[in-house]
Amino acid sequence: MTEPREDDQLAQSSALVGRRLIGLGIDWMLCLVITSAFFAQEAYADTTGIERVLVAGDPVITMAIWAAQHLILVATLGTTIGHRVAGLRVVREDGASMVGLPKALGRTVLLALVIPAVVWDPQGRGLHDRAVGTRIVSTRAANAT
């Protein structure tokens, strides 16, 4: 078999960007649901339905819940709930079987800062992944993407 061409790798990485955003959105919505259910701000006590889910939770606690779930799930399983739904997995560049706590912690902190996550290299890797030696890969067959 031959090595994948650089153009093929670039196209696959670019295709993952939308799925990464979907995964992040799913993770964030789950954190909003938890926060609005358990840590609702009193100013939003009269809101109902979707409005309550989207705005009633304390934003600092929402971020803390997101960071905790991201750290724990990526360190141990290599995937968050949103990543799993979107067909993605975080892997180490050195080929180790688990991402591990130090790399997951660095990745989580840099993701929370936002800027490293929205600046990508030509292969579609965020600066947060480059900095800690990880990458996001598809868990689905190449034909399904």
Side-chain angles (χ1 to χ4, degrees):
M1 284 181 59
T2 61
E3 287 287 317
R5 290 189 355 229
E6 187 174 327
D7 292 342
D8 294 338
Q9 290 174 339
L10 182 58
Q12 181 182 10
S13 294
S14 297
L16 294 178
V17 172
R19 289 175 33 200
R20 289 191 309 219
L21 292 174
I22 289 169
L24 178 63
I26 291 168
D27 289 336
W28 193 256
M29 285 301 295
L30 291 171
C31 293
L32 286 173
V33 168
I34 293 167
T35 307
S36 66
F38 298 105
F39 304 99
Q41 299 177 66
E42 292 201 23
Y44 298 101
D46 295 335
T47 60
T48 59
I50 194 77
E51 183 182 26
R52 180 175 171 87
V53 170
L54 294 177
V55 299
D58 185 304
V60 174
I61 295 174
T62 302
M63 179 60 103
I65 291 171
W66 173 85
Q69 67 88 23
H70 189 273
L71 173 65
I72 293 165
L73 293 175
V74 169
T76 58
L77 302 175
T79 185
T80 65
I81 295 167
H83 284 154
R84 170 110 2 156
V85 170
L88 302 172
R89 179 173 171 79
V90 179
V91 297
R92 287 174 54 150
E93 284 285 299
D94 62 9
S97 61
M98 286 181 54
V99 174
L101 192 58
K103 289 189 181 287
L105 179 62
R107 190 175 194 280
T108 300
V109 169
L110 291 172
L111 271 172
L113 294 174
V114 177
I115 297 300
V118 297
V119 177
W120 301 315
D121 68 8
Q123 287 77 36
R125 283 178 68 200
L127 293 181
H128 63 293
D129 279 326
R130 289 183 57 92
V132 298
T134 59
R135 81 173 42 246
I136 294 222
V137 296
S138 177
T139 59
R140 297 179 183 157
N143 296 341
T145 56

